[in-house]
């Protein structure tokens, strides 16, 4: 069994944003030399997500509005977590809706994807450097 | 390390629906000959889900009503994604709540499940042929 | 390839609650002797979750209030699932928001975690003994 590990770093300049990280993940897979196996991509922070969906800016605006409706940022005082001086409780909630991680099948050395699948980093408390972990196991 | 790959195809005749795919996944496992490992089942489309829950029609009706409340289909004009001529923005949102994939432990050649666990395909934009990927790795 | 399997049992005395299970999972990893691979932790019941987030009591109170707003327990008659004599339909919904499972990278014999990641058992229909599965594969 082979394994591969890489951290990807991001600094989203706004509080929230979505970044297509498929090219970086594909590059990891190439470097790993793994042809058959499983690939895990997860946020290493608890106020961000890794998820798979469409690379379409209208949809991303819809996600932003929808998550803000399900778990509004303001008023920040509505959350007990923010009593500690934080203002990011909503980010912990939004991340649960969008998920921490994805697991992708590796087949013949490629991400085994349907036609529109792309991997995104979802930031809900940005404006600082944060990490994503890529781990691949297989042969 | 052994690996196994299979695509399962579905054509749900309505816009939304849930299909118990546990028998097909179990059949994949049998054919793979893998006794110890991990099994990934994921939607290959970004408007459908694979999830694990109960095979109970009342619950499925509750999921349908609840998801429609959290991310209503109509009016379709409320979503920017639909400006491109699509009408399925809500399906991209519902799929995030229900999830893209499940990972299941394989032990002694069986799906290592609790008593009520069953695997479902969740369709949120049906009436066409769509795929699910089963990938198994192990020994 | 090595594999390891363990069931962890919990009896949360209230209907809902969150339990930090990171120490038990770490103990499983130590016993497994696996240094590189993937670790799966999943609820074996369909009314509970395993998820990764912050070990902060204010945040857990926020999760409780938020999930109760997204999928209220009462009135129980609002759910078709409860017509069968159950009163836990809301638990099946809450579990979909929080997720069934997490997959964690194993690197150099450790859970490959960011600084604040911790693994939680999320109970939404407690007051009885329920199980979590830990499965590890690797070398």
């Amino acid at each position: 069994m082979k394994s591969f590990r890489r951290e990807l770093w991001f600094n989203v300049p706004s509080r929230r944003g979505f970044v297509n990280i498929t090219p970086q993940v594909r590059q990891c897979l190439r470097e790993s030399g793994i042809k058959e196996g499983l690939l895990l991509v997860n946020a290493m922070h608890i106020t961000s997500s890794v998820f798979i969906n469409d690379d379409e800016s209208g949809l991303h605006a819809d996600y932003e509005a929808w998550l803000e409706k399900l778990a509004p940022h303001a008023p920040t005082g509505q959350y007990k977590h923010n009593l500690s001086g934080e203002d990011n409780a909503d980010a912990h909630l939004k991340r649960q809706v969008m998920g921490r991680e994805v697991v992708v099948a590796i087949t013949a050395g490629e991400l085994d994807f349907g036609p529109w699948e792309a991997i995104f980093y979802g930031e809900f408390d940005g404006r600082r450097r944060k990490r994503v972990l890529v781990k691949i196991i297989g042969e």
Side-chain angles (χ1 to χ4, degrees), chain A:
Chain A
M1 199 196 77
K2 282 162 114 166
S3 68
F4 177 92
R5 177 192 193 273
R6 168 95 23 106
E7 292 178 4
L8 307 176
W9 286 85
F10 300 95
N11 192 340
V12 172
S14 47
R15 184 181 290 276
R16 293 187 290 274
F18 300 114
V19 183
N20 186 340
I21 64 174
T22 317
Q24 292 98 310
V25 174
R26 199 165 268 139
Q27 177 60 22
C28 289
L29 178 56
R30 249 182 249 121
E31 292 184 35
S32 77
I34 292 173
K35 301 299 184 194
E36 291 291 323
L38 293 177
L39 178 148
L40 168 71
V41 193
N42 68 265
M44 298 186 79
H45 297 257
I46 53 189
T47 51
S48 49
S49 285
V50 170
F51 67 94
I52 287 175
N53 217 295
D54 198 1
D55 196 359
E56 198 278 303
S57 62
L59 179 65
H60 295 181
D62 293 332
Y63 277 137
E64 160 66 16
W66 178 63
L67 291 168
E68 194 55 24
K69 200 176 71 175
L70 291 183
H73 175 69
T76 55
Q78 73 189 293
Y79 299 110
K80 292 209 170 75
H81 180 61
N82 291 341
L83 296 177
S84 63
E86 302 273 8
D87 69 351
N88 66 3
D90 65 302
H92 292 272
L93 275 52
K94 288 171 169 119
R95 117 74 168 254
Q96 289 307 124
V97 176
M98 297 304 278
R100 166 187 180 262
E101 80 219 6
V102 297
V103 177
V104 179
I106 303 305
T107 302
E110 302 287 343
L111 301 173
D112 199 335
F113 267 172
W116 300 103
E117 290 192 283
I119 308 176
F120 289 88
Y121 177 63
E123 178 61 86
F124 307 116
D125 185 33
R127 302 170 300 185
R128 53 194 173 102
R129 277 167 52 80
K130 293 168 78 173
R131 283 179 291 168
V132 161
L133 180 66
V134 179
K135 183 91 183 186
I136 319 174
I137 70 168
E139 301 200 322

